Amino acid sequence: MPVEFRHVTKRYAGDLDAPAAVEDLSLTVPAGQTCVLVGPSGCGKTTTLKMVNRLVEPTSGQILIDGVDVARHDPVKLRRGIGYVIQQIGLFPHLTIGGNVAVVPELLGWHAARCRERADELLALVGLDPATYRARYPHELSGGERQRVGVARALAADPPVMLMDEPFGAVDPVVRERLQNEFLRLQADLAKTVLFVTHDIDEAIKLGDRVAVMDVGGRLAQYATPSELLTSPTSEFVARFVGADRGLKRLSLRRVGELPLAMPPVARVGDEAGPARARTLADPFPYLLLLDGLGRPVGWLDRDRIPTEGLLEERLAVPMSPLLEPETTLRDALSMLLAAEVQAGLVVDPRGAMVGMVTADQIGATLRAEGGRTAEGRRPAAAGGTR
Amino acid sequence: MEFVASVIAWLADPAHWQGRDGIPIRLLEHVELSAASLLAGAAIALPFGFLVGHSGRGAFLVLSVANVGRALPSLAILGLALPFTIQLFHVLEFWPAFVALTVLAIPPILTNTWAGIRAVERDLVETSRGMGMSATQVLWRVEIPVALPVILGGLRTAAVQVVATATLGAYVAGGGFGRYVIDGIARNQLDRIFAGALLVAALSIATELAFAFLQRRLVSRGLRAATERTVPRTAT
Ligand SMILES: Nc1ncnc2c1ncn2[C@@H]1O[C@H](COP(=O)(O)OP(=O)(O)OP(=O)(O)O)[C@@H](O)[C@H]1O
Ligand SMILES: [Mg+2]
């Protein structure tokens, strides 16, 4: 369902002289796409979001979901059809994790058994084992796990529209990166219409099909795809907000999974050392990657240090390149490689199994090739969505 | 020592365990009066506290009720209640004490309920609304359960105060353990006075324990442990 803002203005004080929190905002989020609202603190992002589910009423203008003015809906019913996630997460401390996720289905009057089933399904969807987590209470979870529960809860009744207000704001960068990747995987499947608030431009570029840059006073400065934003900011403000490192940021438009991934010589723990050594010596890449029984990387062996006979043991391997996910942006990948002072990162799937290898040279080459070109069509949604 | 022995002897005397003036009947009267007053106080103070806490309006009312309530001595309320209840019910015994104790129970229940609900994080209330809860659902499903430890704390304070003060009921011809104290004074029987006081103290402690138990049973584990992060448990 598309969400459309038509000349929406909000003044909290009510009188016309008061500064507007949101000023004459018009934009359309196409169905199934993610629109990221980004801008400095106090520019009206949260206000914009809350007007969609009528926690805040606009002073003037209309908001339409699927062509229908939200003002025509009963607010309580309207909200049950819109997923809502906030930075403070707002999990109910007195309910178990399962109970938290099942809140909206319960409000909708689903049967208890179906609520429980749905809660389990969603916990699994956001990567939390239901058997482990469903009976726990929020205070027994880490910040990242709570964020996941917050997202699961918002998805519970399968709402077509999701409002997310800095949902990953309260977690450390590593967890945040993982949650962002998870968001992208989920969104690729679920195709919700998402309004996502952040004040992190990198997050906006990574997650948004379209990005709305807002300026203080609640004015929309530019509404464009991430690559348009990077290549042709329409104002000084946007250019400054996007940052001087626009060239480097363009790496945020590309994902590790889009690169042709190389494969180093690999062997499993417990394999015969001899043949593995022979294979590695014959390979241009001078290291052997050791995997565990589930295909997860364990560490590297210098080709000269591979024993000539016996079995390969875990203790021979030295850890470890940074682990990347297919959704990791090239920019994040590069910074992880630089931070770890290594040449290669390992790409793993959500279960942690080895998918391939990315090198700093590869990323550098992409950066040079990107030079003039824009990275359009990186996702089906972005390619098809003009409005 | 002799005195202690005489109190024990008084309590152990089978004659004091039967009849109109026996301990079981007095216990029953005491509990009846206290429970009725507490329930009446709760019936008035809880809804009022919910309303004021939820709406955020009328806080000064709560505070004035609390202050006036604290300033008024129970004995004075008893005196004030006397003429009304005589007019209304034409008897003494139960009613004046009931009215006085109900008035006594209201302030702690009211202030705790109001403060407990006020203290529920606004973000939590806002997400609840954002998820599609009506105002009543927010109150019953979120605000009250989250404020429950504080609300029960108020009931507990009120209950203990009421049990202790119900002793005064005997002044106006009521029953309860107060009878032993009042009659003991009248007859100058120290062992009777002391035994009465001891019984009131025991009942207060029992009340305290009963509420501690209730608190354990009613308050969600997620709230009880909220301050101390427990070790994550494995799946059950
Ligand atoms: N309930 C309110 N009453 C009055 N003014 C408000 C209210 N909520 C927000 N404002 C004001 O409206 C403006 C926009 O606030 P809003 O919360 O939408 O900003 P934001 O972009 O979400 O900021 P941040 O990034 O800090 O969360 C701010 O100037 C703020 O002070
Ligand atoms: Mg905000």
Side-chain angles (χ1 to χ4, degrees):
Chain A
M1 289 185 186
V3 175
E4 185 183 352
F5 291 79
R6 281 192 194 156
H7 303 289
V8 174
T9 296
K10 174 66 189 178
R11 284 173 223 280
Y12 278 105
D15 63 285
L16 287 171
D17 299 332
V22 174
E23 175 91 62
D24 193 26
L25 177 71
S26 294
L27 63 81
T28 301
V29 187
Q33 292 206 10
T34 303
C35 164
V36 180
L37 301 169
V38 66
S41 188
C43 69
K45 306 181 293 291
T46 298
T47 303
T48 303
L49 221 57
K50 284 184 181 169
M51 286 191 288
V52 177
N53 66 1
R54 294 187 64 189
L55 285 174
V56 169
E57 298 289 351
T59 309
S60 64
Q62 291 175 304
I63 296 164
L64 298 94
I65 297 182
D66 208 17
V68 181
D69 191 338
V70 293
R72 299 205 355 229
H73 290 282
D74 169 53
V76 168
K77 287 213 191 79
L78 172 79
R79 290 170 193 153
R80 288 179 190 170
I82 299 177
Y84 188 44
V85 190
I86 59 170
Q87 176 176 356
Q88 303 77 5
I89 319 171
L91 294 187
F92 299 117
H94 60 296
L95 297 181
T96 60
I97 298 309
N100 265 284
V101 177
V103 164
V104 179
E106 272 171 19
L107 290 174
L108 291 170
W110 295 16
H111 288 298
R114 188 161 159 235
C115 288
R116 274 196 301 274
E117 226 169 80
R118 181 67 180 153
D120 280 5
E121 200 178 303
L122 280 155
L123 287 177
L125 187 70
V126 297
L128 298 173
D129 174 30
T132 310
Y133 287 95
R134 75 163 83 83
R136 285 204 196 166
Y137 285 90
H139 73 271
E140 298 169 319
L141 264 53
S142 72
E145 288 165 341
R146 279 185 228 177
Q147 286 297 0
R148 291 195 176 118
V149 176
V151 172
R153 182 173 69 173
L155 286 168
D158 202 18
V161 177
M162 296 275 286
L163 307 176
M164 307 178 84
D165 195 348
E166 304 199 35
F168 309 142
V171 290
D172 67 69
V174 176
V175 176
R176 172 190 271 237
E177 209 261 333
R178 205 174 309 141
L179 289 172
Q180 288 169 347
N181 294 344
E182 244 159 51
F183 171 85
L184 286 168
R185 281 197 289 273
L186 279 177
Q187 177 63 353
D189 281 349
L190 302 175
K192 306 281 183 197
T193 307
V194 181
L195 271 93
F196 188 110
V197 165
T198 180
H199 47 233
D200 175 359
I201 184 69
D202 293 310
E203 186 167 71
I205 287 167
K206 178 172 180 183
L207 300 184
D209 294 305
R210 303 181 141 254
V211 178
V213 183
M214 292 175 73
D215 197 350
V216 274
R219 271 178 298 275
L220 181 63
Q222 187 169 0
Y223 184 46
T225 63
S227 62
E228 274 167 11
L229 211 60
L230 291 175
T231 47
S232 41
T234 52
S235 67
E236 183 64 20
F237 169 76
V238 176
R240 248 186 305 118
F241 195 78
V242 170
D245 56 343
R246 292 213 309 269
L248 193 57
K249 279 213 171 69
R250 220 166 294 158
L251 280 178
S252 297
L253 297 170
R254 301 290 304 267
R255 307 274 154 75
V256 163
E258 298 164 8
L259 296 180
L261 297 179
M263 204 57 160
V266 295
R268 301 224 170 196
V269 173
D271 282 357
E272 288 282 349
R277 179 182 163 88
R279 256 189 293 128
T280 312
L281 289 172
D283 199 286
F285 194 79
Y287 295 92
L288 173 69
L289 179 69
L290 207 54
L291 305 178
D292 70 7
L294 296 171
R296 293 178 302 205
V298 173
W300 296 105
L301 267 80
D302 193 318
R303 71 168 131 201
D304 301 324
R305 312 219 7 222
I306 305 172
T308 46
E309 54 193 42
L311 301 180
L312 291 170
E313 291 174 51
E314 197 169 327
R315 62 176 175 80
L316 296 170
V318 295
M320 202 55 206
S321 297
L323 294 181
L324 313 172
E325 295 179 317
E327 292 81 7
T328 303
T329 64
L330 293 190
R331 185 166 191 266
D332 288 341
L334 186 60
S335 83
M336 284 186 212
L337 293 185
L338 292 175
E341 299 183 15
V342 292
Q343 276 298 309
L346 300 176
V347 184
V348 295
D349 69 15
R351 270 175 231 88
M354 175 73 180
V355 175
M357 183 175 70
V358 169
T359 62
D361 286 347
Q362 238 180 324
I363 299 175
T366 313
L367 183 57
R368 285 188 293 279
E370 284 292 309
R373 211 155 60 78
T374 62
E376 197 54 72
R378 62 213 172 84
R379 252 174 294 162
T386 44
R387 268 189 59 97
Chain B
M1 271 301 94
E2 215 173 287
F3 175 68
V4 175
S6 76
V7 172
I8 293 172
W10 192 95
L11 284 170
D13 185 348
H16 295 144
W17 286 86
Q18 46 193 276
R20 185 69 192 78
D21 194 34
I23 292 171
I25 297 287
R26 293 300 181 211
L27 172 66
L28 203 68
E29 287 169 347
H30 204 113
V31 169
E32 217 170 52
L33 176 64
S34 308
S37 313
L38 185 69
L39 285 178
I44 296 165
L46 285 179
F48 192 41
F50 291 159
L51 203 74
V52 176
H54 176 80
S55 68
R57 260 166 265 173
F60 74 97
L61 262 175
V62 170
L63 294 173
S64 345
V65 168
N67 287 334
V68 171
R70 283 207 194 92
L72 271 182
S74 301
L75 205 55
I77 304 173
L78 199 61
L80 289 174
L82 214 52
F84 291 103
T85 48
I86 290 175
Q87 278 221 324
L88 274 173
F89 304 106
H90 308 288
V91 284
L92 285 174
E93 299 188 355
F94 184 79
W95 295 104
F98 170 75
V99 171
L101 294 176
T102 301
V103 171
L104 179 72
I106 288 173
I109 303 177
L110 182 61
T111 38
N112 273 45
T113 305
W114 166 74
I117 291 201
R118 277 281 79 186
V120 176
E121 282 175 39
R122 292 297 99 187
D123 284 334
L124 201 61
V125 173
E126 181 141 85
T127 6
S128 308
R129 297 210 299 132
M131 291 170 72
M133 289 190 195
S134 64
T136 358
Q137 283 169 331
V138 172
L139 182 65
W140 284 102
R141 286 168 178 251
V142 182
E143 289 176 312
I144 293 177
V146 172
L148 199 59
V150 186
I151 296 173
L152 285 176
L155 284 166
R156 184 170 169 168
T157 309
V160 172
Q161 279 182 16
V162 164
V163 165
T165 315
T167 319
L168 291 180
Y171 270 124
V172 284
F177 290 145
R179 278 264 61 88
Y180 299 139
V181 179
I182 304 290
D183 296 348
I185 292 170
R187 299 184 212 166
N188 203 13
Q189 291 172 332
L190 274 184
D191 50 358
R192 180 179 286 262
I193 298 174
F194 205 78
L198 222 54
L199 288 166
V200 173
L203 190 57
S204 299
I205 292 169
T207 309
E208 188 81 51
L209 292 177
F211 269 90
F213 174 76
L214 210 63
Q215 199 130 6
R216 289 267 292 275
R217 291 297 304 271
L218 294 182
V219 173
S220 155
R221 206 167 54 73
L223 290 173
R224 253 183 291 137
T227 40
E228 16 143 348
R229 263 191 79 108
T230 54
V231 186
R233 295 156 313 114
T234 42
T236 45

PDB file of all heavy atoms in Angstrom, chain A residues 18 23 46 106 167 176 189 199 213 221 233 236 240 243 245 258 262 282 284 291 305 340-342 377 381:
ATOM      1  N   ALA A  18       3.562  30.102  15.240  1.00  0.00           N
ATOM      2  CA  ALA A  18       4.481  29.143  15.841  1.00  0.00           C
ATOM      3  C   ALA A  18       5.323  28.502  14.740  1.00  0.00           C
ATOM      4  O   ALA A  18       4.862  28.318  13.612  1.00  0.00           O
ATOM      5  CB  ALA A  18       3.703  28.069  16.586  1.00  0.00           C
ATOM      6  N   GLU A  23       6.603  21.235   7.694  1.00  0.00           N
ATOM      7  CA  GLU A  23       6.102  22.343   6.871  1.00  0.00           C
ATOM      8  C   GLU A  23       5.775  21.862   5.465  1.00  0.00           C
ATOM      9  O   GLU A  23       6.656  21.452   4.730  1.00  0.00           O
ATOM     10  CB  GLU A  23       7.177  23.443   6.835  1.00  0.00           C
ATOM     11  CG  GLU A  23       6.880  24.611   5.926  1.00  0.00           C
ATOM     12  CD  GLU A  23       6.151  25.726   6.662  1.00  0.00           C
ATOM     13  OE1 GLU A  23       6.727  26.270   7.606  1.00  0.00           O
ATOM     14  OE2 GLU A  23       4.993  26.023   6.291  1.00  0.00           O
ATOM     15  N   THR A  46      10.181  12.410  13.574  1.00  0.00           N
ATOM     16  CA  THR A  46       9.265  11.653  14.427  1.00  0.00           C
ATOM     17  C   THR A  46       7.836  12.149  14.259  1.00  0.00           C
ATOM     18  O   THR A  46       6.891  11.354  14.170  1.00  0.00           O
ATOM     19  CB  THR A  46       9.711  11.770  15.901  1.00  0.00           C
ATOM     20  OG1 THR A  46      11.012  11.192  16.024  1.00  0.00           O
ATOM     21  CG2 THR A  46       8.758  11.049  16.834  1.00  0.00           C
ATOM     22  N   GLU A 106      -3.484 -10.421  19.628  1.00  0.00           N
ATOM     23  CA  GLU A 106      -4.468 -10.526  20.709  1.00  0.00           C
ATOM     24  C   GLU A 106      -5.490  -9.409  20.639  1.00  0.00           C
ATOM     25  O   GLU A 106      -6.686  -9.631  20.816  1.00  0.00           O
ATOM     26  CB  GLU A 106      -3.770 -10.500  22.073  1.00  0.00           C
ATOM     27  CG  GLU A 106      -3.338 -11.870  22.543  1.00  0.00           C
ATOM     28  CD  GLU A 106      -2.455 -11.796  23.783  1.00  0.00           C
ATOM     29  OE1 GLU A 106      -2.484 -10.758  24.466  1.00  0.00           O
ATOM     30  OE2 GLU A 106      -1.738 -12.780  24.024  1.00  0.00           O
ATOM     31  N   PRO A 167      14.972   2.633  14.750  1.00  0.00           N
ATOM     32  CA  PRO A 167      14.851   1.340  15.421  1.00  0.00           C
ATOM     33  C   PRO A 167      16.196   0.740  15.811  1.00  0.00           C
ATOM     34  O   PRO A 167      16.264  -0.076  16.713  1.00  0.00           O
ATOM     35  CB  PRO A 167      14.154   0.462  14.379  1.00  0.00           C
ATOM     36  CG  PRO A 167      14.485   1.082  13.077  1.00  0.00           C
ATOM     37  CD  PRO A 167      14.588   2.555  13.332  1.00  0.00           C
ATOM     38  N   ARG A 176      24.313  -3.122  15.010  1.00  0.00           N
ATOM     39  CA  ARG A 176      23.512  -2.301  14.111  1.00  0.00           C
ATOM     40  C   ARG A 176      23.675  -2.766  12.663  1.00  0.00           C
ATOM     41  O   ARG A 176      22.703  -2.916  11.933  1.00  0.00           O
ATOM     42  CB  ARG A 176      23.957  -0.848  14.256  1.00  0.00           C
ATOM     43  CG  ARG A 176      23.344   0.096  13.261  1.00  0.00           C
ATOM     44  CD  ARG A 176      24.033   1.439  13.354  1.00  0.00           C
ATOM     45  NE  ARG A 176      23.380   2.268  14.343  1.00  0.00           N
ATOM     46  CZ  ARG A 176      22.867   3.470  14.086  1.00  0.00           C
ATOM     47  NH1 ARG A 176      22.956   3.980  12.875  1.00  0.00           N
ATOM     48  NH2 ARG A 176      22.283   4.155  15.009  1.00  0.00           N
ATOM     49  N   ASP A 189      11.857 -10.080   1.262  1.00  0.00           N
ATOM     50  CA  ASP A 189      10.783 -11.082   1.255  1.00  0.00           C
ATOM     51  C   ASP A 189       9.413 -10.459   1.455  1.00  0.00           C
ATOM     52  O   ASP A 189       8.451 -10.805   0.794  1.00  0.00           O
ATOM     53  CB  ASP A 189      10.978 -12.070   2.417  1.00  0.00           C
ATOM     54  CG  ASP A 189      12.032 -13.094   2.095  1.00  0.00           C
ATOM     55  OD1 ASP A 189      12.427 -13.149   0.909  1.00  0.00           O
ATOM     56  OD2 ASP A 189      12.448 -13.816   3.004  1.00  0.00           O
ATOM     57  N   HIS A 199      18.967   9.446  11.903  1.00  0.00           N
ATOM     58  CA  HIS A 199      19.736  10.627  11.527  1.00  0.00           C
ATOM     59  C   HIS A 199      21.125  10.247  11.050  1.00  0.00           C
ATOM     60  O   HIS A 199      22.003  11.073  10.951  1.00  0.00           O
ATOM     61  CB  HIS A 199      19.727  11.761  12.569  1.00  0.00           C
ATOM     62  CG  HIS A 199      19.989  11.344  13.970  1.00  0.00           C
ATOM     63  ND1 HIS A 199      19.146  11.670  14.989  1.00  0.00           N
ATOM     64  CD2 HIS A 199      20.977  10.643  14.510  1.00  0.00           C
ATOM     65  CE1 HIS A 199      19.621  11.177  16.106  1.00  0.00           C
ATOM     66  NE2 HIS A 199      20.727  10.546  15.848  1.00  0.00           N
ATOM     67  N   VAL A 213      15.453  13.796   2.671  1.00  0.00           N
ATOM     68  CA  VAL A 213      16.314  14.585   3.544  1.00  0.00           C
ATOM     69  C   VAL A 213      15.509  15.779   4.027  1.00  0.00           C
ATOM     70  O   VAL A 213      14.955  16.526   3.223  1.00  0.00           O
ATOM     71  CB  VAL A 213      17.582  15.072   2.812  1.00  0.00           C
ATOM     72  CG1 VAL A 213      18.488  15.837   3.771  1.00  0.00           C
ATOM     73  CG2 VAL A 213      18.323  13.903   2.200  1.00  0.00           C
ATOM     74  N   ALA A 221      14.023  18.746   2.024  1.00  0.00           N
ATOM     75  CA  ALA A 221      15.094  19.339   1.224  1.00  0.00           C
ATOM     76  C   ALA A 221      15.279  18.585  -0.091  1.00  0.00           C
ATOM     77  O   ALA A 221      15.495  19.190  -1.139  1.00  0.00           O
ATOM     78  CB  ALA A 221      16.393  19.349   2.013  1.00  0.00           C
ATOM     79  N   PRO A 233      23.046  16.123  -5.362  1.00  0.00           N
ATOM     80  CA  PRO A 233      22.289  16.814  -4.315  1.00  0.00           C
ATOM     81  C   PRO A 233      21.791  18.153  -4.851  1.00  0.00           C
ATOM     82  O   PRO A 233      22.513  18.829  -5.573  1.00  0.00           O
ATOM     83  CB  PRO A 233      23.326  17.009  -3.203  1.00  0.00           C
ATOM     84  CG  PRO A 233      24.657  16.839  -3.843  1.00  0.00           C
ATOM     85  CD  PRO A 233      24.457  15.949  -5.022  1.00  0.00           C
ATOM     86  N   GLU A 236      22.818  23.077  -1.228  1.00  0.00           N
ATOM     87  CA  GLU A 236      24.011  23.122  -0.388  1.00  0.00           C
ATOM     88  C   GLU A 236      23.783  22.315   0.889  1.00  0.00           C
ATOM     89  O   GLU A 236      24.639  21.561   1.333  1.00  0.00           O
ATOM     90  CB  GLU A 236      24.311  24.596  -0.054  1.00  0.00           C
ATOM     91  CG  GLU A 236      25.552  24.823   0.760  1.00  0.00           C
ATOM     92  CD  GLU A 236      26.814  24.403   0.010  1.00  0.00           C
ATOM     93  OE1 GLU A 236      26.769  24.308  -1.246  1.00  0.00           O
ATOM     94  OE2 GLU A 236      27.811  24.151   0.676  1.00  0.00           O
ATOM     95  N   ARG A 240      25.945  19.141   2.073  1.00  0.00           N
ATOM     96  CA  ARG A 240      26.668  19.138   3.336  1.00  0.00           C
ATOM     97  C   ARG A 240      26.218  17.977   4.219  1.00  0.00           C
ATOM     98  O   ARG A 240      27.009  17.329   4.863  1.00  0.00           O
ATOM     99  CB  ARG A 240      26.473  20.465   4.070  1.00  0.00           C
ATOM    100  CG  ARG A 240      27.761  21.273   4.138  1.00  0.00           C
ATOM    101  CD  ARG A 240      27.628  22.520   4.990  1.00  0.00           C
ATOM    102  NE  ARG A 240      26.529  23.372   4.552  1.00  0.00           N
ATOM    103  CZ  ARG A 240      25.473  23.665   5.313  1.00  0.00           C
ATOM    104  NH1 ARG A 240      25.388  23.188   6.531  1.00  0.00           N
ATOM    105  NH2 ARG A 240      24.509  24.439   4.846  1.00  0.00           N
ATOM    106  N   GLY A 243      27.590  14.818   3.036  1.00  0.00           N
ATOM    107  CA  GLY A 243      28.982  14.748   3.443  1.00  0.00           C
ATOM    108  C   GLY A 243      29.935  14.903   2.288  1.00  0.00           C
ATOM    109  O   GLY A 243      29.598  14.634   1.126  1.00  0.00           O
ATOM    110  N   ASP A 245      32.495  13.183   1.687  1.00  0.00           N
ATOM    111  CA  ASP A 245      33.030  11.910   1.190  1.00  0.00           C
ATOM    112  C   ASP A 245      31.998  11.186   0.333  1.00  0.00           C
ATOM    113  O   ASP A 245      31.778   9.994   0.485  1.00  0.00           O
ATOM    114  CB  ASP A 245      33.456  11.038   2.361  1.00  0.00           C
ATOM    115  CG  ASP A 245      32.321  10.811   3.343  1.00  0.00           C
ATOM    116  OD1 ASP A 245      31.334  11.573   3.292  1.00  0.00           O
ATOM    117  OD2 ASP A 245      32.415   9.881   4.155  1.00  0.00           O
ATOM    118  N   GLU A 258      26.995  -8.573  -4.286  1.00  0.00           N
ATOM    119  CA  GLU A 258      26.898  -8.290  -5.725  1.00  0.00           C
ATOM    120  C   GLU A 258      28.224  -8.505  -6.442  1.00  0.00           C
ATOM    121  O   GLU A 258      28.279  -8.523  -7.666  1.00  0.00           O
ATOM    122  CB  GLU A 258      26.466  -6.831  -5.939  1.00  0.00           C
ATOM    123  CG  GLU A 258      25.103  -6.516  -5.378  1.00  0.00           C
ATOM    124  CD  GLU A 258      24.880  -5.010  -5.250  1.00  0.00           C
ATOM    125  OE1 GLU A 258      25.734  -4.232  -5.741  1.00  0.00           O
ATOM    126  OE2 GLU A 258      23.869  -4.627  -4.658  1.00  0.00           O
ATOM    127  N   ALA A 262      35.413 -14.541  -4.854  1.00  0.00           N
ATOM    128  CA  ALA A 262      36.442 -15.558  -5.084  1.00  0.00           C
ATOM    129  C   ALA A 262      36.339 -16.621  -4.001  1.00  0.00           C
ATOM    130  O   ALA A 262      35.684 -16.425  -2.982  1.00  0.00           O
ATOM    131  CB  ALA A 262      37.817 -14.915  -5.052  1.00  0.00           C
ATOM    132  N   ALA A 282      49.088 -25.502  -5.236  1.00  0.00           N
ATOM    133  CA  ALA A 282      48.792 -25.301  -6.651  1.00  0.00           C
ATOM    134  C   ALA A 282      47.956 -24.044  -6.886  1.00  0.00           C
ATOM    135  O   ALA A 282      47.785 -23.602  -8.016  1.00  0.00           O
ATOM    136  CB  ALA A 282      48.050 -26.529  -7.206  1.00  0.00           C
ATOM    137  N   PRO A 284      46.876 -20.021  -6.712  1.00  0.00           N
ATOM    138  CA  PRO A 284      47.584 -18.730  -6.626  1.00  0.00           C
ATOM    139  C   PRO A 284      47.420 -18.070  -5.251  1.00  0.00           C
ATOM    140  O   PRO A 284      48.274 -17.298  -4.836  1.00  0.00           O
ATOM    141  CB  PRO A 284      46.922 -17.880  -7.713  1.00  0.00           C
ATOM    142  CG  PRO A 284      45.636 -18.579  -8.055  1.00  0.00           C
ATOM    143  CD  PRO A 284      45.840 -20.022  -7.754  1.00  0.00           C
ATOM    144  N   LEU A 291      37.463 -24.919   7.406  1.00  0.00           N
ATOM    145  CA  LEU A 291      36.047 -24.787   7.769  1.00  0.00           C
ATOM    146  C   LEU A 291      35.686 -25.854   8.794  1.00  0.00           C
ATOM    147  O   LEU A 291      36.309 -26.910   8.836  1.00  0.00           O
ATOM    148  CB  LEU A 291      35.149 -24.982   6.536  1.00  0.00           C
ATOM    149  CG  LEU A 291      35.408 -24.088   5.323  1.00  0.00           C
ATOM    150  CD1 LEU A 291      34.463 -24.463   4.187  1.00  0.00           C
ATOM    151  CD2 LEU A 291      35.255 -22.626   5.676  1.00  0.00           C
ATOM    152  N   ARG A 305      52.868 -23.944   6.144  1.00  0.00           N
ATOM    153  CA  ARG A 305      52.758 -24.524   7.481  1.00  0.00           C
ATOM    154  C   ARG A 305      51.744 -25.660   7.532  1.00  0.00           C
ATOM    155  O   ARG A 305      51.423 -26.167   8.589  1.00  0.00           O
ATOM    156  CB  ARG A 305      52.393 -23.441   8.499  1.00  0.00           C
ATOM    157  CG  ARG A 305      53.279 -22.232   8.337  1.00  0.00           C
ATOM    158  CD  ARG A 305      53.706 -21.557   9.620  1.00  0.00           C
ATOM    159  NE  ARG A 305      53.369 -22.193  10.852  1.00  0.00           N
ATOM    160  CZ  ARG A 305      52.919 -21.519  11.900  1.00  0.00           C
ATOM    161  NH1 ARG A 305      52.687 -20.230  11.798  1.00  0.00           N
ATOM    162  NH2 ARG A 305      52.686 -22.150  13.021  1.00  0.00           N
ATOM    163  N   ALA A 340      40.787  -4.256  10.604  1.00  0.00           N
ATOM    164  CA  ALA A 340      41.413  -5.522  10.991  1.00  0.00           C
ATOM    165  C   ALA A 340      42.809  -5.672  10.382  1.00  0.00           C
ATOM    166  O   ALA A 340      43.511  -6.646  10.652  1.00  0.00           O
ATOM    167  CB  ALA A 340      40.524  -6.686  10.558  1.00  0.00           C
ATOM    168  N   GLU A 341      43.204  -4.694   9.529  1.00  0.00           N
ATOM    169  CA  GLU A 341      44.506  -4.736   8.851  1.00  0.00           C
ATOM    170  C   GLU A 341      44.706  -6.041   8.106  1.00  0.00           C
ATOM    171  O   GLU A 341      45.723  -6.711   8.247  1.00  0.00           O
ATOM    172  CB  GLU A 341      45.640  -4.491   9.855  1.00  0.00           C
ATOM    173  CG  GLU A 341      45.540  -3.130  10.510  1.00  0.00           C
ATOM    174  CD  GLU A 341      46.704  -2.850  11.444  1.00  0.00           C
ATOM    175  OE1 GLU A 341      47.711  -3.572  11.358  1.00  0.00           O
ATOM    176  OE2 GLU A 341      46.593  -1.912  12.236  1.00  0.00           O
ATOM    177  N   VAL A 342      43.683  -6.440   7.355  1.00  0.00           N
ATOM    178  CA  VAL A 342      43.813  -7.638   6.529  1.00  0.00           C
ATOM    179  C   VAL A 342      43.384  -7.306   5.115  1.00  0.00           C
ATOM    180  O   VAL A 342      42.762  -6.277   4.857  1.00  0.00           O
ATOM    181  CB  VAL A 342      42.965  -8.813   7.072  1.00  0.00           C
ATOM    182  CG1 VAL A 342      43.515  -9.304   8.398  1.00  0.00           C
ATOM    183  CG2 VAL A 342      41.509  -8.416   7.184  1.00  0.00           C
ATOM    184  N   GLY A 377      19.479   0.566 -10.190  1.00  0.00           N
ATOM    185  CA  GLY A 377      18.994  -0.797 -10.392  1.00  0.00           C
ATOM    186  C   GLY A 377      19.619  -1.804  -9.467  1.00  0.00           C
ATOM    187  O   GLY A 377      19.705  -2.978  -9.780  1.00  0.00           O
ATOM    188  N   ALA A 381      13.149  -3.270  -6.585  1.00  0.00           N
ATOM    189  CA  ALA A 381      12.215  -2.227  -6.176  1.00  0.00           C
ATOM    190  C   ALA A 381      12.678  -0.863  -6.676  1.00  0.00           C
ATOM    191  O   ALA A 381      11.889  -0.065  -7.166  1.00  0.00           O
ATOM    192  CB  ALA A 381      12.084  -2.220  -4.667  1.00  0.00           C
TER     193      ALA A 381
END
